[in-house]
Amino acid sequence: MSKLPISFEFFPPKTEEGKFKLLKVHEQLSSFKPEFFSVTYGAGGSTQERTVETVLELNAKGISTAPHLTCIGATEENLTELLDLYKNNGINRIVALRGDLPSGMGSTSGEFQYASELVTFIKDRYQDSFTLEVAAYPEMHPQADHFDTDIENFVKKAEAGADAAITQYFFNADCYTHFVERVRKAGCNIPVIPGIMPIINYSNLIRFSDACGAEVPRWIRKQLEAYKDDSKSIKAFGAEVVASLCRQLVDAGAPGLHFYTMNQTEAVESILDKAQLI
Ligand code: FAD
């Protein structure tokens, strides 16, 4: 079997203990020889310095590390400063996003409104210095009015120069194949990599999913609810469900998998082990 490209996403740790733990997680996941790691970035200020610090530290260890970069509320000047810093430190990949301003920060009066504008900006200023990944929403972006326009808006990001897309997580392989079919019909051929969320904890999963518009199917919710506090059973069931999803996605032609690791190895390792894909 040829090697399936995979990538792993982290969030920037807040504490010294978190940093230490992430270095261990990074070391363990490096053994899967991922294409890249990525590190999230808080639109509107929170975590931004920690993202830079984490990205530079991990990238120096040898496997390409991509910062997420959001444009909402940003100016050309501060984006240029950050992109120059990344370029000068050997970063060659960016996950280019709009981001969501934290509630209470008001609406978008900044210089950028949409991720496609960020992609255009990076391409104009930096040409091909960075491989650009953008976000995709197989279940539709939660703020979009209509699926058709959301697809059109996704295609604009590819037309602006995005090299590939990573999806929001989902638990139903059909929404992925449907989304890919629609963007192909719209003439867009960039790889669309499914984002894979391990199931580790019931209440966190429901909270995240409500916030980002990802659907947790009833049969999964009901089974997780039935396990109550039995975290061993939740993890075992979650690993089976997500491994099966990964297999279906690869069978359906997914060109790789991107794991939302939550800075933990156990669940991802268990999924990869059960899915037998690499
Ligand atoms: P866009 O592509 O700009 O789309 C946002 C909305 O605007 C959509 O509804 C779209 O249909 C609409 N739209 C786009 N263009 C136009 C247009 N020209 N006219 C009218 N409407 C338009 N958030 C963070 O803050 N930090 C992170 O690190 C982060 N990482 C992420 C990683 C992945 C893989 C994913 C899938 C999401 C991530 N997010 C992150 C969340 C993301 O920032 C939010 O979902 C945000 O609401 C949308 O970002 P986007 O880049 O998809 O925006």
Side-chain angles (χ1 to χ4, degrees):
M1 186 187 293
S2 65
K3 189 178 177 305
L4 178 75
I6 56 173
S7 49
F8 297 117
E9 180 172 314
F10 300 133
F11 57 83
K14 281 194 183 120
T15 60
E16 286 305 312
E17 193 193 343
K19 277 188 205 169
F20 180 74
K21 201 181 134 212
L22 181 61
L23 290 178
K24 285 255 166 236
V25 169
H26 177 264
E27 192 184 325
Q28 270 171 275
L29 293 179
S30 294
S31 66
F32 290 102
K33 302 201 171 7
E35 291 277 294
F36 65 94
F37 291 99
S38 79
V39 182
T40 61
Y41 184 75
S46 68
T47 88
Q48 297 190 343
E49 279 167 18
R50 285 188 275 125
T51 298
V52 176
E53 193 188 314
T54 308
V55 163
L56 298 187
E57 184 170 4
L58 298 185
N59 194 63
K61 292 185 181 297
I63 298 177
S64 172
T65 304
H68 293 206
L69 183 60
T70 59
C71 62
I72 198 84
T75 62
E76 291 197 358
E77 193 186 342
N78 57 40
L79 288 176
T80 303
E81 201 180 307
L82 199 45
L83 287 160
D84 283 351
L85 175 82
Y86 284 140
K87 188 176 170 201
N88 295 336
N89 281 279
I91 302 296
N92 57 13
R93 189 185 285 263
I94 303 274
V95 182
L97 303 147
R98 185 194 71 175
D100 293 308
L101 284 178
S103 52
M105 277 194 70
S107 66
T108 75
S109 50
E111 293 175 20
F112 296 85
Q113 285 222 47
Y114 300 113
S116 55
E117 296 164 17
L118 176 61
V119 173
T120 302
F121 175 76
I122 299 176
K123 277 285 167 195
D124 284 353
R125 296 263 169 125
Y126 299 88
Q127 289 81 43
D128 293 329
S129 300
F130 301 107
T131 298
L132 297 180
E133 315 276 338
V134 290
Y137 300 84
E139 293 180 324
M140 195 176 93
H141 184 264
Q143 289 153 10
D145 296 333
H146 198 291
F147 217 148
D148 294 349
T149 46
D150 201 36
I151 300 265
E152 285 165 20
N153 291 331
F154 171 78
V155 173
K156 282 182 196 153
K157 295 193 277 194
E159 288 167 352
D163 296 287
I166 301 171
T167 74
Q168 181 57 275
Y169 69 87
F170 54 84
F171 295 104
N172 170 359
D174 285 346
C175 73
Y176 171 79
T177 46
H178 180 249
F179 179 83
V180 174
E181 258 170 48
R182 291 192 66 181
V183 300
R184 298 291 179 254
K185 269 193 198 136
C188 166
N189 286 314
I190 62 171
V192 179
I193 318 287
I196 304 294
M197 178 63 91
I199 298 177
I200 303 173
N201 171 300
Y202 174 68
S203 50
N204 285 351
L205 180 72
I206 300 299
R207 192 163 40 81
F208 273 158
S209 305
D210 285 349
C212 68
E215 185 168 285
V216 182
R218 181 177 159 83
W219 67 275
I220 297 181
R221 276 193 286 120
K222 288 290 160 197
Q223 184 60 70
L224 292 172
E225 265 169 39
Y227 287 133
K228 297 205 168 77
D229 295 333
D230 177 358
S231 88
K232 204 170 157 203
S233 297
I234 292 177
K235 286 177 184 166
F237 169 73
E240 282 299 341
V241 168
V242 179
S244 158
L245 174 68
C246 292
R247 278 193 302 268
Q248 289 172 53
L249 291 167
V250 172
D251 288 347
L257 297 172
H258 178 83
F259 288 87
Y260 297 108
T261 69
M262 315 304 286
N263 293 10
Q264 298 180 35
T265 53
E266 192 195 340
V268 171
E269 284 176 346
S270 172
I271 293 164
L272 286 170
D273 179 47
K274 284 187 198 311
Q276 293 286 299
L277 292 168
I278 55 171

